[in-house]
Amino acid sequence: VSELGFVDRLIGLQREEVSDVLVGRVPIDDHTRSPVGGLRTGVLLAAVDAVGGMRCGLASLPRWIVSTNLMVTVGRTDHSGPLRFEGRLLRVGKAAGVASVDVLDEGAGDRHVAHGLLTTAVLDPEQGPPPLARPVALTPRPLERRPSDLASAFAIAEGTGPVTTLTMRDDLRNRWGILHGGVVAVLADVAAERAIGAGVATDTVLHYLRPTRVGPLEARAAVTGHRADGAVVAVSMHDVGSDDRQVALASVRVAL
Amino acid sequence: VTLAYPPPEHVLRDLGFEIDVRDDGTASAWMRATPELAAPWGGTTAGVLATLVDAVSGNLASLAASPDRVATADLALTLTRPPTGPEIEVTGSVLRRGRTTCVVEVLVGEGGWATATFAVLAHRDATPGPRVGAPGATTGRRQVFGGTGRPLAGWIGDAIGLTVVEAATGVLEVPLTAYVANSFGALQGGMVAFLAEQAGAAAVGAALGTPATTVGLQIAYLAQCRVGPFRTTAAVLDVRERTGAATVRVTDTGADGRLAAIAQVRALGIGP
């Protein structure tokens, strides 16, 4: 599975290197649109992860990175689109890199709609870094057929009670063979909204604790509490086929 | 050689934290909820809770990483109700101890949740580092974190020298003093979080036209705040009805304006 795999194609993510900024663009399509008309937060998270991750990765060459922690604050969920993601390097060292990603709504006069912080771990991948021509300019092939909805496209289905399940598929793996971080983000979004039964996912903190290798991946949601601006849901994700080990943990605010 | 930290006159002592670190990789900590630490919604301010989270998770991470050392890389805190007293309890557990990072989850009172990520720094015999807070040798016993201090005589912001330069743009400043320094002599991480959340809440409150209280705080620590004074600027993402969000940059004005931390703040407006 390449850098321009199924996930990039599904969300329509383009990326290009403009000076020291990694710029991404994501359209708002029917299958990526939230109930309030903007880009689904799970997709926004996936794009922040991809843009911030590539920015950190380019700064780490000839080594590369894996995402460890994603923190996103969403100001508005009613976007016009497309959204532009501007990834800037904040810090890179021998062990870790941090990127800031500003999310702007190009269809609304470049309104600043969200901000992301991505922390990454720097490593030496066995097969080396992704083969990228510089400056980076990546445009995914269009999908042959657009899916009817995001959850089914990502093999996400309702489980029992507060559990939402993702079935592993090879096209959901990244080039390292593990589940794509953006897919984990979408699962957190879907599971949190299911737990509340209404509203849209917004501010999210997502820790990638361990790689998801086998699946299925279970997202177990628990409502932390309610407040004036919505509810907060904790989502613990477990790789059932790997002795049920916890692979990710998220806190998601669902605006009501 | 180990150096005792914090020193006798220090904000961590005066906050009166108590902590119990257990051998099973969990820990609890307690603090008194006093008017000097109150936020506009009645509970203890998020920045002080972040300091408590940093203390309990830092002790857990230190134990998990021993003999290596740890430094806070990022911290996230979400509140759904005002944490009120007379005593607030937090409980932490290690989620993951990897080669380069350690992640700790902390439950904050009822309805609060936090995580902290620590960078693992390789142990060096020549620089073993300070002994911080409750030492690991005395696990399993509730004890005062860092030693007994004096109760704060006024609002904590005044105690640390915090000044609001311009609320609407979240410009706040705080100097570096021994009272708020960490074991490296830089601004203590919890105080950086406090500064950032105060700046975010000030900017959101100004945009809402009402006092605002921080209910969500995410902060990434990028560099030590070594010189000072430290200045914040906030950019409001959006405000609507009674909520708003802002991004806050913390810079070290004495170090050529170096960006030391960046935070995301979600705040609720309080009032009619």
Side-chain angles (χ1 to χ4, degrees):
Chain A
V1 180
S2 76
E3 273 294 315
L4 294 177
F6 177 71
V7 175
D8 291 46
R9 297 178 63 202
L10 190 62
I11 68 174
L13 171 64
Q14 299 178 31
R15 283 174 286 182
E16 62 176 328
E17 202 177 355
V18 181
S19 186
D20 60 350
V21 181
L22 202 292
V23 178
R25 279 190 180 79
V26 176
I28 302 174
D29 293 322
D30 288 346
H31 67 284
T32 58
R33 194 185 309 275
S34 79
V36 294
L39 190 68
R40 271 202 81 112
T41 291
V43 177
L44 189 148
L45 293 167
V48 168
D49 177 46
V51 169
M54 182 163 283
R55 184 64 194 88
C56 288
L58 293 173
S60 305
L61 289 170
R63 306 171 79 199
W64 200 248
I65 56 88
V66 292
S67 300
T68 57
N69 182 12
L70 182 60
M71 304 190 288
V72 175
T73 292
V74 180
R76 298 186 70 104
T77 52
D78 54 341
H79 320 127
S80 300
L83 298 190
R84 187 171 78 248
F85 297 74
E86 295 183 350
R88 294 177 174 83
L89 187 71
L90 294 176
R91 177 183 180 276
V92 67
K94 284 187 290 187
V98 184
S100 164
V101 180
D102 291 296
V103 185
L104 309 165
D105 187 349
E106 291 189 335
D110 276 353
R111 185 161 57 196
H112 198 186
V113 295
H115 179 263
L117 287 167
L118 179 74
T119 304
T120 62
V122 180
L123 44 72
D124 295 293
E126 279 184 21
Q127 56 272 61
L132 293 167
R134 304 288 296 273
V136 169
L138 302 172
T139 300
R141 272 187 302 123
L143 292 168
E144 288 82 13
R145 192 178 57 195
R146 292 196 173 171
S148 57
D149 70 282
L150 190 69
S152 60
F154 278 152
I156 295 171
E158 293 185 5
T160 306
V163 175
T164 303
T165 302
L166 181 147
T167 304
M168 281 291 273
R169 269 194 343 236
D170 280 348
D171 59 5
L172 299 180
R173 297 178 190 268
N174 63 18
R175 71 188 310 271
W176 319 114
I178 61 176
L179 184 64
H180 193 293
V183 180
V184 177
V186 171
L187 177 61
D189 164 343
V190 173
E193 289 186 4
R194 269 200 69 222
I196 300 301
V200 292
T202 61
D203 306 344
T204 300
V205 176
L206 172 58
H207 287 276
Y208 298 101
L209 300 170
R210 299 170 186 89
T212 303
R213 299 186 188 281
V214 182
L217 181 61
E218 278 194 2
R220 301 165 190 167
V223 179
T224 304
H226 290 78
R227 62 184 191 220
D229 64 339
V232 177
V233 182
V235 183
S236 180
M237 286 168 270
H238 298 254
D239 187 348
V240 176
S242 294
D243 296 325
D244 202 44
R245 71 175 185 170
Q246 186 181 32
V247 294
L249 178 65
S251 173
V252 183
R253 169 181 167 254
V254 178
L256 298 170
Chain B
V1 176
T2 57
L3 305 172
Y5 171 84
E9 300 279 331
H10 198 275
V11 66
L12 287 181
R13 288 178 182 257
D14 294 352
L15 287 171
F17 296 163
E18 292 184 63
I19 191 165
D20 176 8
V21 183
R22 296 176 284 269
D23 290 328
D24 64 357
T26 66
S28 296
W30 301 264
M31 64 172 290
R32 294 184 301 278
T34 65
E36 291 76 23
L37 308 176
W41 69 343
T44 296
T45 189
V48 171
L49 293 171
T51 307
L52 183 65
V53 167
D54 189 43
V56 70
S57 55
N59 268 268
L60 276 174
S62 295
L63 274 179
S66 180
D68 294 335
R69 298 168 61 187
V70 297
T72 314
D74 57 58
L75 188 150
L77 170 68
T78 301
L79 303 170
T80 58
R81 65 178 72 173
T84 54
E87 186 175 73
I88 298 168
E89 179 175 359
V90 303
T91 304
S93 57
V94 176
L95 288 176
R96 178 179 185 275
R97 195 309 195 189
R99 189 173 50 84
T100 57
T101 60
C102 182
V103 184
V104 180
E105 178 183 26
V106 182
L107 304 179
V108 181
E110 292 184 6
W113 181 87
T115 54
T117 305
F118 295 85
V120 177
L121 312 172
H123 171 80
R124 288 180 293 180
D125 289 335
T127 54
R131 176 172 56 81
V132 180
T138 54
T139 55
R141 185 165 59 87
R142 178 169 169 168
Q143 56 200 298
V144 176
F145 179 78
T148 304
R150 296 173 304 186
L152 291 167
W155 184 59
I156 183 173
D158 293 335
I160 68 170
L162 180 72
T163 56
V164 178
V165 179
E166 185 180 54
T169 52
V171 179
L172 278 60
E173 279 192 359
V174 70
L176 178 62
T177 63
Y179 186 68
V180 292
N182 64 16
S183 58
F184 300 96
L187 185 64
Q188 198 267 341
M191 292 297 102
V192 179
F194 175 74
L195 176 64
E197 71 95 348
Q198 290 290 309
V204 170
L208 287 169
T210 179
T213 195
T214 300
V215 293
L217 169 68
Q218 288 94 241
I219 182 166
Y221 297 96
L222 304 171
Q224 294 271 8
C225 293
R226 290 193 181 280
V227 185
F230 310 107
R231 174 176 278 232
T232 57
T233 54
V236 174
L237 269 178
D238 186 48
V239 292
R240 57 183 59 205
E241 297 174 4
R242 291 197 169 194
T243 184
T247 57
V248 179
R249 298 166 70 86
V250 181
T251 55
D252 188 342
T253 63
D256 297 326
R258 181 171 65 173
L259 182 64
I262 188 163
Q264 300 162 342
V265 174
R266 164 77 52 191
L268 293 181
I270 306 297

